[in-house]
């Protein structure tokens, strides 16, 4: 009997409810796995129907079509002589489960339901599925008639079971189960399971990949074994991007690594490994007879071997160092892949971006340029699917993209919408960047449209609002800014619909937004302004991260125009200029810096802080730069802005999810949008704590002063609650508050407060 096994895992760009496309990608992955000699193929979670079906999981059609796809997989000659592990929803005893279905040669071996649901952040699995909360229990599942006709089976095992081949044992984990404290692989490993599989739909967040890698390395270093990880990739119709990273690990080492960001719809990773390495590792490191006696796994036996008798000269995969992307690279690649999936699947002809010459819109433009670079590279690498897609997008069946700038000119339109409040500097920055990336750039003045709207208002009311700089009120000033911003949104959609028509080309353009996560958090944007768009690739990324990303683009893409953009202060340019120069800045308007907003945003969402808890943490985090009173003012100001503007999140543009403190109201950050913006109880607690802190500081200072004062022996004994003598000098260790109040030292109190 052989000892070496070749296993395959994969990342598939599945699309929710695209049963035809999903079936073809599954079959292609199995075909590639077999061509590499694999005897076992693992796919992503819910790969048959797509992970992002959401409330479509409630529909019986989704279950029906999933079984119809399974039927075709069972009947296909491609799936013969290899154990196939696919994901789909299954209803058992009228309860819906998220399942893995393992089959071989037209026979279903077992169905393993997910035992721990992902129900945090963007995940809502408990809304659609129930967990299988019966460890080690297996029941009979009655197959639908269409499957019985193919397999000649009436029932199959359903539950927490493992698969025993003639040469090894395979156990299943599913996505969230790996992240739990009591992951199934531990007890399975102690019971002799040698190969663990994990099918996931894990979305991208900045720097999340290293968490996955560390978890998998830890899992196999504790109990030994081979670990196969499969993950979905791409945009399957929602705000998240699944970032692949399929991998194979053995005994704590990664031996095969898939791409994190790629335009390949199907990526298969195979590894050849020696089962004796697992057994030798466990022989020394793991001693299950010394552990708490695990309950034996239910084993489903199959007359099949993963190894062969003549594998002596078969080379095995060796450990490798995982190559992690920097956060700036992740921003460049993740949203770019997401945009490409959205563009090719939407049927639109390209993108339109209101390019202001600031950091945010320039970041969006650079991500589109990165997308064009990825497309050109994929075509150069003979990716036929990408070539077909890009030809369909540009409407040219003979087109061959080679230069990102040239492709950018075909699919990307930028539009600078200036006004009398815009500076020449921002106009030239936008123009220079557009020229370097190759976008089709337009420049127009919006004053005519703004004046027309104000003329209508004036004709009806007889009044004409004025900017604050011209003697107007705060309400007038804000309304005039909002009119400009909303006119830009209307013009952006007008040009998106008709730009292609004006050029004699078919199709329309998707409008891209460019509001960052910090501005969304505070509501520092106009509702229904040019931040309102079809999609926003930077809506989940902080301002500080975007600045670092632009520095990366300067070096990586040679976009030197970004240097001037980075050196300019962020500004909305909605108020009148002063001597031709910008007088309005974002941070002055918001009352805090972008770096402060990032800290506050993480405390609010990740650390789960309300106003009082946030204040208590920030007085120590910012103690070197701000006083207790100043911290209190910052916290109150933020929560006032946040609560007043929270309603804007109900209409915010769907944005790429990248930061774990995103305020996205759709599913990730569920909050009210009508608040008591005075926060009376919470702010009173802060005020009380500020008062206590100031008194404590005063008393501490007084204690030090009293220790320096000269008292006679009688006064010492009368007014000091405890005295200590050291080297003949009296030192006050504790001074009771009532002693201080009654003592003459209180005369110093007013002086210290001043």
């Amino acid at each position: 009997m052989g000892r070496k096994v070749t296993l395959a895992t994969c990342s598939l760009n599945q699309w929710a409810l695209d049963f035809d496309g999903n079936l073809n990608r599954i079959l292609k992955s199995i075909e590639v796995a077999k061509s590499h000699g694999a005897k076992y193929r693992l796919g992503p979670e819910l790969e048959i129907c797509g992970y992002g079906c959401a409330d479509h999981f409630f529909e019986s059609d989704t279950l029906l079509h999933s079984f119809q796809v399974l039927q075709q997989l069972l009947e296909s000659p491609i799936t013969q002589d290899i154990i196939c592990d696919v994901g789909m929803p299954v209803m058992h005893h009228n309860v819906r489960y998220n399942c893995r279905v393992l089959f071989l040669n037209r026979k279903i071996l077992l169905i393993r339901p997910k035992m721990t649901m992902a129900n945090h952040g963007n995940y809502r699995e408990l809304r659609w599925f129930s967990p299988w909360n019966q460890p080690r229990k297996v029941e009979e599942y009655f197959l639908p008639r269409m499957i019985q006709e193919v397999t000649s089976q009436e029932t199959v095992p359903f539950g927490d079971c493992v698969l025993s081949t003639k040469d090894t044992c395979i156990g299943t984990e599913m996505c969230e189960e790996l992240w739990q404290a009591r992951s199934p692989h531990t007890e399975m490993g102690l019971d002799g399971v040698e190969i663990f599989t994990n099918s996931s739909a894990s979305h991208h967040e900045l720097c999340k990949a290293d968490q996955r890698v560390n978890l998998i390395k830890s899992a196999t270093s504790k109990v030994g074994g081979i670990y196969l990880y499969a993950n979905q990739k791409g945009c399957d119709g929602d705000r998240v991007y699944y970032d692949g990273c399929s991998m194979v690990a053995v005994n704590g080492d990664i031996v095969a690594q898939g791409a994190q960001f790629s335009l390949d719809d199907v990526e298969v990773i195979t590894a050849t490994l020696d089962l004796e390495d697992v057994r030798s590792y466990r022989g020394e490191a793991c001693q299950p007879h010394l552990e708490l006696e695990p309950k034996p796994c239910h084993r489903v036996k199959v007359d099949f071997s993963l190894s062969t008798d003549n594998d002596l000269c078969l080379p095995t995969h060796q450990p490798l160092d995982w190559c992690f992307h920097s956060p700036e690279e992740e921003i460049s690649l993740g949203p770019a892949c997401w945009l490409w999936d959205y563009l090719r699947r939407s049927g639109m002809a390209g993108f339109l971006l209101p390019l202001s010459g600031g950091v945010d819109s320039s970041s969006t433009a650079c991500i589109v340029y990165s997308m064009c670079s990825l497309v050109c590279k994929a075509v150069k690498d003979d990716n036929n699917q990408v070539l077909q897609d890009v030809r369909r997008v540009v409407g040219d069946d003979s087109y061959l993209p080679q230069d990102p700038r040239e492709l950018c000119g075909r699919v990307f339109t930028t539009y600078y919408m200036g006004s009398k409040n815009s500076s020449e500097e921002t106009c030239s920055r936008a123009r220079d960047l557009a020229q370097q990336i190759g976008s089709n750039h337009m420049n127009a003045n919006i004053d005519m449209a703004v004046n027309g709207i104000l003329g209508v208002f004036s004709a009806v009311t007889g009044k004409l609002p004025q900017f604050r700089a011209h003697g107007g009120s705060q309400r007038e000033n804000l309304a005039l800014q909002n009119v400009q911003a909303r006119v830009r949104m209307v013009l952006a959609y007008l040009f998106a619909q008709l730009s292609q028509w004006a050029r004699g080309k078919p199709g329309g353009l998707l409008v891209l937004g460019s509001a960052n996560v910090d501005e969304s958090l505070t509501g520092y944007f106009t509702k229904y302004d040019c931040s309102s768009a079809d999609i926003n690739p930077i809506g989940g990324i902080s301002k500080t991260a975007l600045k670092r990303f632009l520095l990366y683009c300067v070096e990586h893409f040679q976009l030197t125009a970004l240097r001037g953009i980075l050196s300019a202060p962020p500004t909305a340019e909605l108020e009148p200029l002063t001597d031709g120069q910008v007088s309005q800045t974002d941070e002055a308007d918001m009352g805090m810096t972008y770096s402060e907003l990032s800290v506050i945003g993480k405390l609010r969402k990740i650390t789960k802080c309300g106003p009082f808890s946030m204040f208590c943490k920030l007085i120590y985090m910012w103690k070197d730069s701000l006083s207790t009173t100043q911290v209190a003012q910052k916290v109150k100001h933020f929560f006032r802005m946040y609560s007043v503007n929270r309603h804007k999140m109900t209409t915010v543009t769907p944005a790429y999810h990248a930061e774990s403190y995103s305020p996205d109201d759709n599913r990730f950050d569920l909050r009210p949008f009508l608040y008591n913006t005075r926060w009376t109880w919470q702010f009173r607690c802060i005020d009380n704590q500020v008062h206590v802190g100031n008194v404590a500081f005063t008393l501490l200072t007084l204690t030090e002063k009293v220790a320096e004062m000269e008292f006679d022996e009688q006064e010492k004994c009368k007014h000091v609650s405890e005295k200590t003598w050291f080297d003949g000098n009296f030192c006050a260790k504790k001074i009771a508050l009532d002693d201080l109040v009654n003592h003459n030292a209180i005369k110093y109190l007013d002086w210290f407060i001043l």
Side-chain angles (χ1 to χ4, degrees):
M1 177 59 65
R3 48 191 274 176
K4 296 177 183 177
V5 294
T6 300
L7 310 169
T9 182
C10 61
S11 295
L12 304 182
N13 195 336
Q14 302 298 74
W15 191 7
L17 302 176
D18 178 24
F19 291 98
D20 282 315
N22 293 347
L23 170 62
N24 291 333
R25 285 181 285 271
I26 292 171
L27 286 172
K28 183 178 179 181
S29 69
I30 297 171
E31 187 175 25
V32 173
K34 288 178 67 176
S35 69
H36 292 170
K39 292 296 186 70
Y40 181 96
R41 174 268 181 200
L42 175 72
E45 187 173 9
L46 292 169
E47 59 188 306
I48 285 181
C49 58
Y51 183 82
C53 294
D55 280 2
H56 288 287
F57 284 123
F58 291 136
E59 300 168 2
S60 60
D61 282 8
T62 304
L63 296 168
L64 169 65
H65 300 327
S66 295
F67 271 109
Q68 289 172 335
V69 171
L70 178 62
Q71 179 184 12
Q72 293 202 25
L73 288 171
L74 288 164
E75 292 174 337
S76 172
I78 295 175
T79 63
Q80 301 305 299
D81 300 320
I82 182 173
I83 297 177
C84 298
D85 187 336
V86 299
M88 60 179 282
V90 176
M91 183 171 283
H92 177 56
H93 293 170
N94 294 329
V95 179
R96 194 179 300 102
Y97 295 98
N98 176 352
C99 294
R100 303 303 299 175
V101 179
L102 279 68
F103 63 90
L104 169 68
N105 295 337
R106 301 170 65 96
K107 299 289 185 182
I108 293 179
L109 305 175
L110 61 88
I111 300 177
R112 202 283 204 173
K114 192 170 184 178
M115 302 175 69
T116 304
M117 299 290 107
N119 211 54
H120 54 84
N122 284 300
Y123 295 101
R124 291 289 180 273
E125 289 183 5
L126 282 174
R127 178 178 175 88
W128 308 301
F129 301 108
S130 295
W132 183 259
N133 52 12
Q134 305 175 78
R136 301 295 184 264
K137 184 174 180 180
V138 177
E139 299 177 351
E140 284 188 326
Y141 176 76
F142 286 83
L143 293 171
R145 282 196 297 269
M146 70 176 82
I147 304 299
Q148 292 184 27
E149 292 171 359
V150 177
T151 66
S152 300
Q153 297 169 287
E154 185 175 313
T155 63
V156 294
F158 184 100
D160 181 19
C161 50
V162 298
L163 184 66
S164 282
T165 65
K166 295 170 70 174
D167 49 1
T168 188
C169 187
I170 306 167
T172 299
E173 278 189 332
M174 295 178 66
C175 197
E176 183 69 13
E177 295 169 3
L178 170 65
W179 298 73
Q180 296 301 303
R182 298 184 63 181
S183 298
H185 67 257
T186 302
E187 290 193 0
M188 287 193 296
L190 293 174
D191 194 39
V193 175
E194 296 177 330
I195 300 173
F196 311 112
T197 67
N198 187 311
S199 56
S200 288
S202 180
H203 63 71
H204 173 239
E205 278 182 4
L206 295 178
C207 303
K208 182 180 176 182
D210 62 335
Q211 298 180 50
R212 297 192 197 110
V213 173
N214 290 335
L215 281 170
I216 290 171
K217 291 172 68 174
S218 174
T220 57
S221 64
K222 286 187 301 183
V223 296
I226 298 168
Y227 204 107
L228 271 68
Y229 177 81
N231 192 24
Q232 185 161 314
K233 69 191 306 185
C235 166
D236 77 338
D238 208 339
R239 292 160 170 81
V240 296
Y241 175 80
Y242 301 97
D243 57 336
C245 289
S246 294
M247 68 188 89
V248 181
V250 58
N251 297 341
D253 293 316
I254 304 296
V255 296
Q257 169 189 351
Q260 185 174 11
F261 306 106
S262 166
L263 300 188
D264 296 331
D265 281 350
V266 176
E267 181 186 30
V268 179
I269 306 300
T270 58
T272 300
L273 302 165
D274 194 335
L275 293 173
E276 289 301 317
D277 290 339
V278 175
R279 295 156 188 166
S280 299
Y281 184 91
R282 288 180 173 176
E284 179 179 4
C286 302
Q287 297 177 326
H289 61 280
L290 298 180
E291 306 283 345
L292 292 176
E293 186 68 25
K295 190 174 180 180
C297 300
H298 180 94
R299 281 168 161 75
V300 176
K301 298 178 182 179
V302 56
D303 186 17
F304 187 76
S305 297
L306 300 185
S307 61
T308 61
D309 292 329
N310 55 348
D311 60 6
L312 184 62
C313 299
L314 191 64
T316 58
H317 283 62
Q318 300 303 308
L320 54 83
D321 292 326
W322 189 280
C323 299
F324 291 103
H325 293 288
S326 68
E328 294 74 33
E329 289 175 321
E330 291 189 26
I331 295 172
S332 174
L333 298 170
C337 293
W338 184 73
L339 283 182
W340 174 245
D341 276 348
Y342 201 101
L343 175 61
R344 68 191 180 111
R345 287 172 170 171
S346 68
M348 302 296 278
F351 299 114
L352 181 138
L353 171 69
L355 183 61
S356 68
V359 167
D360 294 335
S361 61
S362 298
S363 298
T364 298
C366 289
I367 289 172
V368 175
Y369 183 75
S370 175
M371 180 202 80
C372 293
S373 299
L374 290 173
V375 169
C376 290
K377 183 179 183 301
V379 171
K380 184 179 178 181
D381 294 338
D382 297 324
N383 189 319
N384 189 56
Q385 183 63 57
V386 172
L387 180 59
Q388 291 179 26
D389 289 334
V390 73
R391 284 175 172 174
R392 186 174 61 253
V393 168
V394 302
D396 184 351
D397 291 338
S398 62
Y399 177 60
L400 187 67
Q402 295 176 318
D403 178 17
R405 292 187 73 258
E406 189 273 335
L407 176 57
C408 225
R410 288 177 177 256
V411 301
F412 191 31
T413 297
T414 50
Y415 185 15
Y416 181 82
M417 293 180 274
S419 73
K420 60 185 178 182
N421 301 321
S422 304
S423 66
E424 178 56 35
E425 288 79 7
T426 55
C427 180
S428 61
R429 290 183 199 120
R431 183 180 59 249
D432 292 346
L433 178 60
Q435 184 178 9
Q436 289 188 1
I437 65 176
S439 67
N440 184 13
H441 190 62
M442 297 183 291
N443 194 336
N445 190 287
I446 66 170
D447 287 335
M448 184 185 302
V450 172
N451 292 335
I453 293 174
L454 292 177
V456 172
F457 177 82
S458 180
V460 173
T461 64
K463 293 181 177 294
L464 188 64
Q466 300 293 325
F467 281 105
R468 182 171 47 196
H470 300 154
S473 65
Q474 174 64 21
R475 180 168 292 276
E476 294 171 77
N477 193 67
L478 185 59
L480 289 172
Q481 293 183 66
N482 289 343
V483 166
Q484 298 171 74
R486 288 175 176 138
V487 162
R488 287 181 171 128
M489 182 203 72
V490 174
L491 289 174
Y493 274 98
L494 176 64
F495 276 82
Q497 284 185 297
L498 295 180
S499 289
Q500 293 290 96
W501 168 79
R503 299 172 192 147
K505 297 180 179 180
L509 304 177
L510 291 164
V511 180
L512 294 181
S514 56
N516 63 64
V517 69
D518 299 320
E519 291 171 350
S520 298
L521 187 61
T522 57
Y524 184 66
F525 61 91
T526 300
K527 197 173 187 179
Y528 304 118
D529 70 347
C530 61
S531 67
S532 297
D534 293 312
I535 51 174
N536 180 1
I538 68 165
I541 306 173
S542 70
K543 189 81 161 190
T544 52
L546 289 174
K547 288 182 176 180
R548 292 193 296 268
F549 163 64
L550 291 187
L551 283 172
Y552 164 82
C553 291
V554 171
E555 302 299 327
H556 186 71
F557 295 124
Q558 309 303 311
L559 301 177
T560 55
L562 295 173
R563 296 190 189 278
I565 293 169
L566 283 165
S567 63
T571 175
E573 287 196 333
L574 294 172
E575 294 190 36
L577 303 175
T578 302
D579 298 328
Q581 299 298 315
V582 173
S583 59
Q584 178 188 28
T585 63
D586 293 352
E587 293 185 337
D589 281 356
M590 292 188 297
M592 57 185 65
T593 66
Y594 280 107
S595 59
E596 289 172 342
L597 270 176
S598 291
V599 173
I600 285 174
K602 291 172 183 175
L603 289 176
R604 181 197 72 96
K605 177 64 179 177
I606 301 174
T607 316
K608 312 296 189 296
C609 286
F612 181 70
S613 297
M614 184 180 294
F615 165 76
C616 292
K617 289 184 180 295
L618 287 177
I619 56 176
Y620 294 102
M621 296 173 67
W622 290 348
K623 61 183 174 61
D624 293 333
S625 56
L626 296 175
S627 68
T628 303
T629 301
Q630 289 172 320
V631 172
Q633 291 170 347
K634 292 271 187 185
V635 172
K636 290 180 183 179
H637 178 63
F638 165 75
F639 274 97
R640 286 194 191 101
M641 283 200 307
Y642 161 76
S643 56
V644 166
N645 292 312
R646 180 66 190 185
H647 66 94
K648 296 179 181 179
M649 295 309 300
T650 62
T651 60
V652 74
T653 299
Y656 180 94
H657 177 86
E659 291 278 11
S660 54
Y661 68 94
S662 167
D664 171 34
D665 185 69
N666 171 260
R667 192 165 69 194
F668 184 73
D669 187 44
L670 305 181
R671 314 276 173 135
F673 55 86
L674 178 61
Y675 281 91
N676 179 349
T677 59
R678 294 182 297 275
W679 299 85
T680 51
W681 189 285
Q682 295 91 331
F683 287 0
R684 188 162 59 245
C685 289
I686 292 176
D687 291 337
N688 291 340
Q689 194 65 31
V690 170
H691 176 70
V692 170
N694 288 339
V695 171
F697 173 77
T698 302
L699 293 180
L700 177 61
T701 309
L702 282 173
T703 301
E704 295 171 352
K705 186 65 180 177
V706 168
E708 298 172 359
M709 294 172 59
E710 294 185 0
F711 297 103
D712 59 29
E713 191 66 28
Q714 184 179 359
E715 288 295 305
K716 291 176 186 175
C717 297
K718 180 178 180 181
H719 295 290
V720 180
S721 59
E722 178 180 348
K723 58 181 181 291
T724 302
W725 293 87
F726 183 74
D727 290 340
N729 295 320
F730 175 80
C731 300
K733 286 180 64 181
K734 293 181 181 177
I735 302 179
L737 181 58
D738 56 342
D739 288 331
L740 278 173
V741 171
N742 294 325
H743 194 268
N744 286 337
I746 200 65
K747 66 184 179 182
Y748 292 96
L749 182 58
D750 291 338
W751 182 83
F752 276 109
I753 292 177
L754 293 175

